[in-house]
Amino acid sequence: MDADIDLASDTQFAPIGNKTATFEGNLNGRNHTISNLSISYADTDYAGLFGYIGENASVSHLSLTVARLEGTGKYYGAIAGRNDGAIEDCHVSGTIATQGAYTGGIAGISSGSLYSSSFTGNISGYGYVGGLAGDFSGTMDHCSVTANVVVTGSIDDATDGGGLAGRAISWSKKECVITDSYFCGTLSDKSGKASLGGIAPVLWSARVERCF
């Protein structure tokens, strides 16, 4: 990017990339800002600035301000609905409110990496709600969240909410690692069913070091 971008006139932004055509490029924001990102969908999955970031793709050195996402589908995050690649030095402020599962400040679901990134604002959703990622199974380092995280309902028996991640999971071929990251804010449950945790309420063989 060579300049800041104001999306105030685009009241329904179309995410870049989706499940069948993932984003496979490299976006270097060069410390520029995209303001007023607005997304509102019913029954649409993979929503964010990027709908789906592929395994070999990256997004870096970018800020989103006054971002607003809402919808009833799965996988909502300001930078990406799903991230299988690398997100580095990306910072988001705004409000994300969904009635679906897998909602995060940066990514709805992420098996990729999150480095030196942050979210500030308000997040609410149904099941697996996290300050950075709703569902996380990648590598997170030097990230932070200052936000109000609220679980407002449940879907498919998923109700968890966490300061950094709604859940953090290591799979058989890949270890989930969270290091040198922190959450500062509030966690609340309006569903009456949620497990809550400052880092993540569910840690399945995930490694966490120097986090608070």
Side-chain angles (χ1 to χ4, degrees):
M1 288 175 54
D2 294 321
D4 295 343
I5 298 173
D6 187 347
L7 295 174
S9 61
D10 189 343
T11 58
Q12 182 62 297
F13 181 82
I16 302 166
N18 54 49
K19 186 177 181 180
T20 57
T22 61
F23 173 71
E24 295 294 347
N26 299 283
L27 174 66
N28 184 340
R30 298 180 182 176
N31 298 315
H32 287 295
T33 297
I34 296 175
S35 57
N36 297 300
L37 171 69
S38 180
I39 294 175
S40 179
Y41 284 122
D43 301 320
T44 297
D45 298 338
Y46 302 103
L49 178 65
F50 294 86
Y52 200 128
I53 295 176
E55 186 174 355
N56 298 312
S58 67
V59 179
S60 61
H61 311 300
L62 177 66
S63 293
L64 301 184
T65 61
V66 201
R68 183 169 186 83
L69 281 71
E70 57 185 22
T72 57
K74 296 179 180 179
Y75 315 119
Y76 277 60
I79 297 294
R82 176 165 183 148
N83 170 49
D84 289 346
I87 295 174
E88 180 179 1
D89 188 28
C90 289
H91 306 280
V92 176
S93 64
T95 298
I96 302 174
T98 78
Q99 296 179 42
Y102 307 101
T103 303
I106 298 293
I109 183 170
S110 178
S111 64
S113 59
L114 301 179
Y115 295 133
S116 302
S117 296
S118 67
F119 177 82
T120 302
N122 299 284
I123 305 175
S124 62
Y126 283 26
Y128 302 134
V129 183
L132 291 175
D135 182 291
F136 189 70
S137 58
T139 300
M140 181 188 300
D141 183 61
H142 283 90
C143 292
S144 64
V145 175
T146 303
N148 302 307
V149 179
V150 184
V151 179
T152 53
S154 62
I155 185 168
D156 298 332
D157 295 323
T159 58
D160 300 321
L164 295 181
R167 66 175 180 178
I169 303 173
S170 289
W171 299 107
S172 59
K173 295 183 180 180
K174 185 175 184 180
E175 183 182 25
C176 176
V177 180
I178 301 174
T179 55
D180 297 298
S181 298
Y182 71 86
F183 167 69
C184 180
T186 63
L187 292 166
S188 58
D189 170 33
K190 294 184 178 180
S191 72
K193 301 178 181 179
S195 297
L196 303 174
I199 304 301
V202 177
L203 294 166
W204 293 349
S205 301
R207 176 158 56 93
V208 178
E209 298 178 355
R210 301 177 301 278
C211 295
F212 63 91

